[in-house]
């Protein structure tokens, strides 16, 4: 409550990472002890709403929740989320903090290896068509009843570009590298997508 009062008083905008209902969120969102985080995240969301703190939901779309676009969207909307960012997770095999190799993949994952995209990315990564279908499902629900009350970053950016304005989101801009990231230890990167040791 004290943090929320501080955030509200100083007009902070908070990003809350939530990937849908508990069974979708908890698949990859766990704490350092390996425990699921949904209950804590949901409690934080309720506190932000209680104190009228502005917040955005940062939703990672992965292989597990990637077939549940409408379900994820309606769950968040029905819980009072009004600003949403859907971020596709794409991890190359053998790269990152928890790297996966082909031998780490399950039989089901290996059966997808005939797909060129699946052969290059981790089993957590959303596949291209899967992400497209996810966003179509979100759009179909949003356009029917939520235009003007719920804001989806991808749709706002597409509209901006369609109207001839330079989008603010880096992946839609003519030139990337204008969104600096500074890590806790002072390391500086030209983009948060490049926060890797190399």
């Amino acid at each position: 409550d004290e943090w929320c009062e501080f955030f509200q008083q100083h007009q902070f905008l908070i990003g809350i990472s939530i990937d849908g209902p508990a069974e979708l969120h908890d698949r990859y969102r766990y704490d350092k002890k390996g425990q699921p985080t949904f209950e804590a995240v949901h409690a934080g969301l309720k506190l932000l709403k209680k104190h009228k703190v502005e917040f955005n939901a940062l939703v990672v779309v992965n292989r597990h929740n990637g077939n549940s676009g409408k379900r994820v969207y309606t769950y968040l909307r029905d819980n009072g989320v009004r600003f949403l960012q859907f971020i596709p997770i794409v991890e190359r095999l053998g790269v990152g903090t928890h790297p996966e190799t082909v031998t780490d993949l399950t039989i089901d994952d290996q059966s997808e290896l005939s797909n060129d995209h699946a052969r290059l990315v981790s089993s957590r990564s959303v596949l291209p068509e899967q992400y497209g279908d996810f966003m179509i499902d979100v759009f179909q629900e949003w356009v029917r009843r939520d235009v003007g009350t719920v804001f989806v970053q991808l749709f706002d950016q597409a509209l901006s570009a369609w109207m001839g304005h330079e989008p603010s989101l880096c992946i839609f801009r003519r030139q990337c590298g204008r969104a600096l990231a500074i890590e806790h230890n002072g390391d500086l990167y030209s983009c948060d997508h490049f926060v890797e040791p190399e």
Side-chain angles (χ1 to χ4, degrees), residues 38-66:
F38 177 82
E39 291 301 325
V41 171
H42 191 72
L45 189 150
K46 288 166 66 175
L47 275 173
L48 292 171
K49 286 175 44 187
K50 172 184 167 186
H51 291 278
K52 296 180 174 48
V53 176
E54 288 191 51
F55 67 94
N56 290 346
L58 310 172
V59 182
V60 170
V61 182
N62 53 60
R63 191 93 46 104
H64 182 67
N65 70 359

Side-chain angles (χ1 to χ4, degrees), residues 28 30-32 89-101 104 122 124 183-184 189 192-198:
Y28 298 121
Y30 40 85
D31 63 20
K32 290 183 179 188
I89 186 168
V90 181
E91 302 173 313
R92 288 179 291 156
L93 282 175
V95 175
T97 307
H98 304 285
E100 226 178 43
T101 64
D104 294 326
S122 74
R124 297 178 290 266
E183 287 293 283
H184 62 90
Y189 298 86
D192 63 350
H193 292 271
F194 299 130
V195 179
E196 296 285 346
E198 65 275 12

